[in-house]
Structure formats: C-alpha cells, structure tokens
Amino acid sequence: MTKEELYLKTIFCCIACDGDIATEEVDMVRDLCAKDRIFHNLDSEKYLNSWITEINEQGGMFLQAYLKELNSADLNETEQLLIVSLAFKAIEADNRIEYAEVKFFKKIRSRLTISDEAILENIQTKRIFSYLIST
C-alpha cells in the first residue's frame, strides 16, 4: 500500500467507523480528492467502492486490518501529522462527533509516535484534538 492509499484509507475508515457513511462525509472525500494534490494519482472512486464492499463483508475486521497497516507504515512526523489532520477532517465532515469516531481516533493515535504537543502546534483544528484526547 502506498502512503497516498494509506491517507485515503485513513479518511475512509474514520467516516465508516461509526457504521454510517453520511452524504456530507462522501462529499468531503470527493472534494478533497479532487482538490488535494496528494490524491491526484489515485483512482479514489475505485478505492472507495472497493473498501465499501470490503467493510460491508468484513465489518470491524476491515478497520482492524487498517490499524495493522498503519502500525507497520514507516511514517515521519510530517506524514503522521497528515494522518491526524485527515482523520480530523473526516470526523468533522458530518458536523457530529460520534463516540465510535473518538474511540477509533484514539486507536489511530496510539499507533503514532508524534507527541500531542507536535499535533497541537501543527494542526489547525485544535478544538477537536483537545476534545478527542480528553474523552
């Protein structure tokens, strides 16, 4: 899996972890893929459709497989900050923060080596991070 695929899968898993992929979340993913140069070389629709099929078949095992992939990825601080930032965007996309999203973010966070201070210094959405680490 490329890092770009891992970034897209991070977003997908964050929007799917609560069991409901909202229209606003799908719109955010499509908009981000269209505008962000990180995803220009990916056929995002192909990946998203494939992952929807997989998560429908595998359920929570799909999310666990993602976490294992994240755990084995060799990510520098900048790449880890991008993972956090993309997770935040996905969690905020439907304007609701669900318990399942908080729980899943904490699983992502536990697999990253960057400090909370580095995240707070570099992530623009500090409110959500403060909320996610305090619950």
Side-chain angles (χ1 to χ4, degrees):
M1 169 175 295
T2 67
K3 288 183 180 175
E4 292 78 12
E5 292 167 359
L6 182 66
Y7 300 147
L8 184 59
K9 199 168 193 179
T10 297
I11 296 168
F12 176 78
C13 288
C14 287
I15 66 173
C17 72
D18 63 357
D20 177 40
I21 301 175
T23 304
E24 300 92 345
E25 293 169 327
V26 173
D27 292 344
M28 180 276 302
V29 174
R30 285 189 174 128
D31 187 55
L32 189 61
C33 288
K35 292 179 179 175
D36 199 312
R37 64 180 174 81
I38 295 170
F39 303 111
H40 279 163
N41 293 327
L42 289 181
D43 183 352
S44 57
E45 288 294 323
K46 178 187 87 170
Y47 283 106
L48 294 172
N49 290 332
S50 172
W51 293 335
I52 288 169
T53 300
E54 288 180 49
I55 202 164
N56 285 336
E57 292 171 358
Q58 300 172 15
M61 290 176 55
F62 179 85
L63 299 174
Q64 291 302 318
Y66 159 77
L67 292 170
K68 286 180 184 175
E69 291 168 334
L70 180 61
N71 218 23
S72 65
D74 184 26
L75 301 171
N76 63 35
E77 182 174 305
T78 301
E79 294 163 336
Q80 291 181 54
L81 287 169
L82 182 56
I83 291 281
V84 170
S85 177
L86 293 170
F88 288 177
K89 286 179 183 179
I91 290 168
E92 291 182 316
D94 64 356
N95 298 310
R96 291 188 326 259
I97 299 175
E98 303 288 337
Y99 174 75
E101 294 168 328
V102 172
K103 188 175 171 184
F104 191 71
F105 175 79
K106 286 184 176 189
K107 289 178 182 181
I108 291 172
R109 178 69 187 96
S110 72
R111 286 155 174 82
L112 302 175
T113 59
I114 55 172
S115 68
D116 289 347
E117 292 77 21
I119 294 171
L120 286 170
E121 288 174 13
N122 291 286
I123 301 296
Q124 294 178 355
T125 313
K126 295 177 182 174
R127 178 189 59 82
I128 188 173
F129 182 69
S130 298
Y131 175 79
L132 289 173
I133 62 171
S134 67
T135 57

